[in-house]
Amino acid sequence: MSLKNVNYVESGISMTLKARCWRLRAFMTKHHRNKEFKMDNTAYPALNELFVFLNTTLTNISIFYSRIPGSGILLKYIKNSHQNDPFRTVLEVMLLVFGIIYLYKNKYRTDNSFIELTPKEIEDLVEEWQPDPLLPKITEEQKRELDKVPIINGSTGPRVKLMNGKTVMNLGNFDFLGFSINEHLKEKAIETLRHYGVGSCGPPGFYGTIDVHTEFERTLSEFLGTEGTILYSQGFSTIGSAIPSFCKRGDIIVADEGCNFAIQKGIQISRSSIKWYKHNDMKDLEKILQKIKDEDIETGRRLTRRFIVTEGIFENYGDISPLPKLIELKKKFKYRLILDETFSIGTLGKRGAGLTDYFDVNPQEVDMIVGSMCHALHSSGGFCSGSFEITDYQRISGPAYVFSAALPAMLAVCATESLLHLSRNPYLPATILSNTKSFKNALSHVKYIKVEGSLDSPIFHLRLNDDVIKVDSSDEKDKLLQEIVDEAMNNGILLTRAKYLRSQEIFDVEPSIRICITASFTKKEIEKAASTIKNVVNKVLKNKIR
Amino acid sequence: MVQHRSRSFILEEKSASYDETLDQSALPNLNSNWVYNKGAWFIHIIIILIVKTLFSIIPKVSSETSWTLTNLSYMLGSFVMFHWVKGVPFDFNSGAYDNLTLWEQIDNGAQFTPAKKYLTAVPIGLFLLSTHYTHYDAFTFLVNFTFLIIVLIAKLPQLHKVRLFGINRL
């Protein structure tokens, strides 16, 4: 077989591969049969043999291939796709190989949290499981705590009768306006109870709303000077529902470190990214707002909803937010302001309309005024007041509004009546103010304790003065404060320590005694109470000096 | 939201926080579960056929152009739907999937699952078919091939939660 012959075979490009194979086979067998297997070029017999071997192998492979059913179609496909461009074919083959490898890979998980258990392991775990007791055993500390809880015989009010028959002055009562002893309110409540029954029998969206609810909403809007109000049925969950109905993941909340537990929970549920500023520190707030603005420019991130959340009177500190400065900052940096007026409603301002009244600010400058009727209004439930858009949006998106039963009619009527009563008696907030001032003035010279909070705030805390008292751990402080509370009770004054769920508070709060000054007492009574507390404090803390 | 890996161009999304995992498991992910619904696989083929027919019936459009347009629309469409748009259109999981594309949400991020294999095979098959039925010149071939490669790269398990060059990061 000459090289020429080989070339002849090679040059048959125009023939189909199959036809070529057949021809080659015929050619080879003929030469085999005639035993004319001699090379022209005898100088490289080994090379020639290699050519022959290669050719025969290739031929055999193509013969074998042509016998596979359907091989013709594939061949035709490749030939069509090939289009005289081997590079293209190579790419396509690589693509096909990639596809096949991908299809044959085994599934795997990317989240490491999932642990696959064998049936035996599952059975073992079920066997091992012991149910927790429905009521966990109380610890010694809890027992001590429970023993110290005073039990009131009868209804609560400015003066309460204890189980041991003693009548004491109640300074732990949130009833700032003294509505708990108001006979008119009681009559109204009973009247409503007879007319409407006890419960509301459904969430506000499903037959729960009745005329008294809308009446309260209207009265409160008028009282505060806002466009609209939405009535919630629990005070605590109001802010925890109002915040997450507007703030979602990715939104930014800038909040005061001193915010109360309800606000902390509301912010946590909203899943927004949260930045805390130092308690009532407007410089720090401005710094943080500026930092967020700089980050916006630096990263070019999407603009999301932004809120500043703070309290009117801080439950944990008893000081007042500087509202004008907050409004200035919120306008400068384009934020919305959520103000929790739980303790300031009914107590601050000339009319008792809260922080906006106190600073004489237009209430429509504050985007959401959230508050509760549990305290000064001496009823139950909460409200969120603001523009129509803000309040109406919560009627379908506020979880506590949508999913819980509406406020009982008598409580709504009580709240409305309290508001009306407050507007008819504008001297009440002024009485609270003067009582607070005289109480604080009387206590200001006690060196063992610090009287915290603003002079105008009727709720404030007595905290141990660390410069003078040598007690370090908060447990020890709690014990000392409890001693003061007990001693005060012996002297006819009911006080309470501020109690926290410490494991869930985001920031540590110093142990304290929380005092609420109400309008039910005369100046003389208040001064007497202050001097009693002063004596008790001096007596208990005298031996604990550094 | 994004973790930087030693100044490289590979930016990785942070793994889910406790809150996020909590919200993700609160409800099944209704946004990605549909890939296993009845007809969810077949609809790809139907859409491709419809698109191809639409492009073919336009007068004076050559078979190359109509195949290229079909290819591009499917690749672009699937890229936008599976690899660009992030999060869930409805408020099912309080935004716990806001940082993840639909591809990353499918099967809770597991790789080489049936749906993912199918959705990878479709563009490859479409491309091979189109090259078979046409005589692409170098340019059209390159355009088709590039788009296919972009779609395939986005589907690679190595690129799970990875934002190359910070593309589509925010």
Side-chain angles (χ1 to χ4, degrees):
Chain A
M1 182 178 142
S2 65
L3 279 173
K4 206 177 156 193
N5 285 335
V6 176
N7 280 343
Y8 162 69
V9 176
E10 295 271 288
S11 65
I13 285 169
S14 60
M15 282 185 276
T16 64
L17 189 54
K18 208 167 179 181
R20 235 188 299 159
C21 298
W22 283 110
R23 185 168 281 210
L24 189 65
R25 194 167 73 153
F27 177 81
M28 300 287 278
T29 40
K30 191 178 133 204
H31 281 260
H32 267 292
R33 210 178 294 134
N34 294 347
K35 308 267 184 220
E36 281 176 10
F37 218 68
K38 262 191 225 160
M39 298 296 141
D40 285 355
N41 194 347
T42 44
Y44 303 106
L47 195 67
N48 276 321
E49 264 176 44
L50 183 71
F51 275 133
V52 171
F53 173 73
L54 278 178
N55 277 332
T56 15
T57 326
L58 277 175
T59 318
N60 285 336
I61 289 171
S62 39
I63 292 164
F64 174 73
Y65 176 77
S66 67
R67 282 184 189 150
I68 301 169
S71 59
I73 301 167
L74 188 65
L75 207 66
K76 208 172 136 201
Y77 172 82
I78 291 172
K79 197 189 145 227
N80 264 345
S81 309
H82 180 58
Q83 291 167 12
N84 295 333
D85 193 346
F87 177 66
R88 200 177 282 196
T89 311
V90 169
L91 272 183
E92 283 173 25
V93 169
M94 276 162 64
L95 212 58
L96 205 67
V97 170
F98 168 80
I100 291 167
I101 291 174
Y102 195 94
L103 286 183
Y104 278 92
K105 282 272 186 182
N106 285 333
K107 176 184 165 178
Y108 69 85
R109 290 173 178 279
T110 45
D111 55 335
N112 306 322
S113 57
F114 187 83
I115 304 162
E116 218 150 347
L117 295 172
T118 61
K120 197 185 169 299
E121 281 171 321
I122 292 172
E123 212 142 280
D124 288 349
L125 281 174
V126 173
E127 282 295 311
E128 275 171 34
W129 183 72
Q130 288 290 336
D132 279 340
L134 283 177
L135 239 116
K137 271 186 186 156
I138 48 170
T139 60
E140 276 298 308
E141 203 176 322
Q142 284 167 326
K143 197 171 172 347
R144 227 179 303 134
E145 181 94 35
L146 279 173
D147 287 342
K148 297 284 184 195
V149 174
I151 301 168
I152 294 170
N153 190 0
S155 67
T156 176
R159 290 182 185 282
V160 289
K161 203 172 163 196
L162 294 179
M163 285 303 273
N164 56 15
K166 205 170 166 187
T167 303
V168 290
M169 186 177 172
N170 190 352
L171 286 186
N173 191 2
F174 285 140
D175 173 29
F176 298 105
L177 298 164
F179 286 166
S180 56
I181 45 167
N182 190 310
E183 286 305 319
H184 171 69
L185 286 180
K186 273 183 198 164
E187 274 164 31
K188 267 280 171 193
I190 293 166
E191 202 178 292
T192 321
L193 178 67
R194 299 232 185 278
H195 187 69
Y196 287 95
V198 179
S200 56
C201 303
F206 286 99
Y207 318 113
T209 304
I210 41 180
D211 51 355
V212 292
H213 294 138
T214 45
E215 200 188 320
F216 170 75
E217 287 171 359
R218 208 175 42 244
T219 317
L220 188 72
S221 304
E222 276 166 21
F223 179 71
L224 288 178
T226 51
E227 275 184 21
T229 299
I230 176 172
L231 169 67
Y232 282 89
S233 40
Q234 287 97 26
F236 184 85
S237 57
T238 304
I239 187 104
S241 174
I243 293 178
S245 62
F246 291 99
C247 312
K248 309 281 172 195
R249 223 181 222 95
D251 298 341
I252 296 174
I253 292 180
V254 184
D256 194 297
E257 281 186 358
C259 281
N260 66 34
F261 193 61
I263 300 181
Q264 291 174 24
K265 285 290 146 193
I267 291 170
Q268 194 189 341
I269 294 167
S270 80
R271 306 296 195 219
S272 324
S273 29
I274 167 114
K275 308 263 189 286
W276 298 98
Y277 66 90
K278 285 198 193 92
H279 175 55
N280 246 357
D281 185 345
M282 289 301 116
K283 284 211 179 89
D284 193 46
L285 172 63
E286 185 162 9
K287 212 171 74 192
I288 282 170
L289 296 179
Q290 185 62 47
K291 205 175 139 204
I292 294 172
K293 196 178 171 187
D294 291 345
E295 273 172 24
D296 284 345
I297 295 165
E298 196 184 309
T299 57
R301 67 182 162 203
R302 203 161 50 90
L303 269 177
T304 49
R305 287 164 291 230
R306 273 113 205 258
F307 295 86
I308 298 172
V309 180
T310 187
E311 267 183 283
I313 293 180
F314 286 88
E315 183 186 355
N316 295 347
Y317 296 93
D319 36 17
I320 294 171
S321 284
L323 188 62
K325 183 72 186 167
L326 277 168
I327 287 175
E328 185 199 317
L329 286 177
K330 111 184 167 104
K331 279 186 178 160
K332 186 178 168 193
F333 291 95
K334 297 186 173 59
Y335 277 68
R336 289 193 175 88
L337 179 61
I338 300 178
L339 187 65
D340 186 354
E341 296 234 51
T342 303
F343 291 94
S344 48
I345 205 89
T347 57
L348 275 191
K350 283 191 201 78
R351 296 185 297 122
L355 206 60
T356 48
D357 188 17
Y358 180 76
F359 284 110
D360 212 6
V361 169
N362 180 7
Q364 297 185 358
E365 304 257 23
V366 183
D367 298 275
M368 288 161 78
I369 296 177
V370 182
S372 143
M373 291 95 80
C374 309
H375 307 319
L377 300 184
H378 198 66
S379 170
S380 180
F383 63 84
C384 175
S385 215
S387 68
F388 284 128
E389 291 80 12
I390 280 180
T391 50
D392 272 1
Y393 183 68
Q394 289 173 64
R395 292 187 202 277
I396 48 163
S397 70
Y401 186 83
V402 175
F403 298 112
S404 55
L407 191 70
M410 58 172 173
L411 292 171
V413 168
C414 263
T416 315
E417 284 301 317
S418 300
L419 275 180
L420 295 176
H421 196 72
L422 175 59
S423 25
R424 281 196 295 264
N425 299 293
Y427 64 88
L428 280 171
T431 317
I432 302 178
L433 194 65
S434 69
N435 278 353
T436 310
K437 276 189 175 145
S438 41
F439 190 92
K440 282 190 180 171
N441 284 334
L443 269 189
S444 59
H445 302 299
V446 185
K447 59 176 177 178
Y448 305 125
I449 49 165
K450 293 178 287 185
V451 183
E452 288 197 340
S454 155
L455 210 59
D456 294 346
S457 148
I459 172 171
F460 53 90
H461 292 253
L462 303 184
R463 292 200 159 92
L464 296 173
N465 190 349
D466 286 334
D467 299 337
V468 184
I469 305 294
K470 56 159 191 197
V471 180
D472 297 319
S473 76
S474 48
D475 278 352
E476 290 294 314
K477 283 180 183 173
D478 265 334
K479 264 182 204 159
L480 259 186
L481 292 170
Q482 186 60 47
E483 268 179 51
I484 296 175
V485 171
D486 293 344
E487 189 59 33
M489 189 144 75
N490 293 338
N491 287 291
I493 292 173
L494 185 62
L495 293 179
T496 177
R497 279 190 297 118
K499 288 170 186 172
Y500 304 101
L501 200 55
R502 289 202 180 273
S503 57
Q504 290 195 35
E505 288 277 348
I506 295 175
F507 299 99
D508 270 344
V509 200
E510 276 277 292
S512 62
I513 291 173
R514 189 187 58 215
I515 291 180
C516 303
I517 300 297
T518 65
S520 326
F521 304 115
T522 59
K523 200 177 171 191
K524 225 174 184 177
E525 285 172 318
I526 284 289
E527 272 165 0
K528 198 178 157 228
S531 75
T532 315
I533 290 174
K534 201 164 140 185
N535 292 339
V536 168
V537 166
N538 282 335
K539 189 178 158 197
V540 174
L541 296 180
K542 185 167 61 188
N543 306 323
K544 307 286 179 187
I545 302 171
R546 229 173 242 286
Chain B
M1 294 294 155
V2 169
Q3 218 168 21
H4 291 249
R5 204 163 66 181
S6 68
R7 284 195 193 177
S8 71
F9 61 88
I10 298 169
L11 300 168
E12 234 173 290
E13 289 285 342
K14 265 184 201 164
S15 51
S17 65
Y18 174 73
D19 281 352
E20 267 171 344
T21 0
L22 207 69
D23 291 345
Q24 284 176 358
S25 51
L27 268 184
N29 187 351
L30 303 171
N31 184 40
S32 70
N33 278 355
W34 62 266
V35 292
Y36 287 106
N37 283 2
K38 226 177 194 180
W41 289 19
F42 197 56
I43 197 72
H44 284 260
I45 292 162
I46 293 175
I47 287 173
I48 289 168
L49 283 179
I50 290 172
V51 170
K52 173 72 177 80
T53 323
L54 281 179
F55 283 127
S56 308
I57 57 174
I58 303 172
K60 288 183 185 173
V61 165
S62 67
S63 124
E64 279 79 15
T65 321
S66 79
W67 271 112
T68 307
L69 287 175
T70 314
N71 244 336
L72 292 198
S73 6
Y74 179 76
M75 307 284 176
L76 259 176
S78 66
F79 187 81
V80 168
M81 290 310 291
F82 287 103
H83 306 290
W84 191 264
V85 177
K86 293 199 274 189
V88 177
F90 308 102
D91 192 18
F92 292 137
N93 305 73
S94 14
Y97 289 104
D98 276 2
N99 295 330
L100 299 182
T101 62
L102 178 55
W103 188 261
E104 287 155 352
Q105 292 173 36
I106 292 174
D107 296 312
N108 268 330
Q111 297 296 340
F112 301 118
T113 56
K116 286 192 174 176
K117 283 177 180 173
Y118 174 77
L119 292 171
T120 312
V122 170
I124 295 180
L126 179 63
F127 175 79
L128 290 179
L129 264 183
S130 77
T131 52
H132 175 62
Y133 284 115
T134 54
H135 301 273
Y136 282 145
D137 59 14
F139 177 70
T140 37
F141 183 85
L142 205 70
V143 167
N144 283 290
F145 194 70
T146 320
F147 272 80
L148 174 70
I149 291 298
I150 291 172
V151 170
L152 287 185
I153 285 177
K155 291 179 194 306
L156 287 177
Q158 286 80 3
L159 266 84
H160 184 71
K161 287 189 183 180
V162 169
R163 308 274 174 260
L164 282 183
F165 306 106
I167 297 171
N168 197 13
R169 204 177 72 182
L170 295 165

